[in-house]
């Protein structure tokens, strides 16, 4: 998020650069990332590669005003936690500017109420209520496994160990 620039740009240590470059620098630093998004996040990008790219860039969670249905499912399949702001709230409601760090608190479950703790650079922390957009128990299992491939691997290993 860069004030006055719409889309495609981000900051890394105060330097404005393309989102990809900033993501790769954060990933190299070992910084887990959270995407803060608007309405219908993922619209036009419902191919599974869009979700793969997000995960490969080091994104672990997304908090959005809303999700495009198929993209949300693909994010779950990649082990990315989708969450939605409540009550029509958005990043502007909480003054999120991209310099914050985030923690997710609560018990993850289908459509569970969670809290995102937003830590500002000035030491202030605000608690933001969100909805976990893992919509079914199966999606929770896939997410907890780390994604659909890891879930299939677990199922396979369990089935082969029970036949021994």
């Amino acid at each position: 998020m860069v004030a006055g620039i719409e889309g495609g740009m981000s900051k890394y240590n105060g330097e404005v650069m393309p989102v990809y470059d900033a993501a790769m620098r954060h990933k190299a630093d070992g910084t887990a990332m959270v995407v803060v998004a608007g309405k219908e996040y993922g619209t036009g990008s419902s191919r599974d590669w869009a979700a793969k790219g997000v995960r490969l860039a080091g994104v672990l969670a997304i908090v959005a005003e809303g999700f495009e249905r198929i993209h949300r499912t693909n994010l779950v399949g990649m082990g990315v936690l989708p969450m939605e702001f409540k009550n029509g709230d958005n990043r502007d409601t909480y003054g999120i500017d991209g310099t914050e760090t985030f923690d997710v608190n609560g018990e993850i479950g289908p459509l569970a109420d969670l809290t995102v703790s937003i830590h500002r650079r000035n030491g202030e922390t605000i608690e933001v209520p969100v909805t976990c957009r893992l919509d079914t128990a199966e999606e929770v299992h896939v997410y907890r496994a780390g994604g659909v491939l890891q879930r299939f691997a677990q199922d396979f290993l369990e089935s082969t160990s029970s036949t021994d």
Side-chain angles (χ1 to χ4, degrees):
M1 295 184 289
V2 180
I5 300 176
E6 190 169 319
M9 300 300 280
S10 186
K11 286 184 180 180
Y12 175 82
N13 291 338
E15 179 185 348
V16 176
M17 63 185 62
V19 169
Y20 176 81
D21 294 338
M24 292 301 100
R25 290 188 184 182
H26 284 297
K27 187 174 179 182
D29 292 346
T31 302
M33 288 180 284
V34 173
V35 169
V36 179
K39 298 176 184 175
E40 293 298 315
Y41 176 77
T43 297
S45 63
S46 61
R47 300 271 186 248
D48 64 340
W49 266 106
K52 289 175 186 170
V54 167
R55 183 66 179 100
L56 291 171
V59 173
L60 299 182
I62 297 173
V63 60
E65 292 176 61
F67 290 91
E68 190 280 331
R69 181 183 56 86
I70 295 170
H71 188 67
R72 185 200 60 79
T73 302
N74 288 338
L75 290 168
V76 174
M78 289 305 300
V80 176
L81 179 63
M83 298 173 288
E84 271 184 24
F85 288 108
K86 291 184 175 284
N87 308 317
D89 290 348
N90 59 40
R91 70 180 178 89
D92 294 327
T93 305
Y94 300 102
I96 299 169
D97 66 11
T99 61
E100 302 85 357
T101 61
F102 302 82
D103 291 311
V104 178
N105 306 297
E107 183 63 34
I108 291 174
L111 299 171
D113 291 328
L114 301 174
T115 301
V116 173
S117 298
I118 301 175
H119 310 285
R120 299 191 191 283
R121 292 168 73 183
N122 67 3
E124 175 189 14
T125 296
I126 59 172
E127 304 294 325
V128 176
V130 297
T131 300
C132 175
R133 284 303 313 276
L134 300 174
D135 294 355
T136 66
E138 180 57 28
E139 286 185 347
V140 172
H141 292 303
V142 168
Y143 170 75
R144 285 190 175 145
V148 72
L149 292 177
Q150 293 86 339
R151 173 66 196 263
F152 287 146
Q154 287 176 354
D155 289 349
F156 175 76
L157 292 173
E158 289 172 7
S159 70
T160 59
S161 67
S162 64
T163 60
D164 292 338

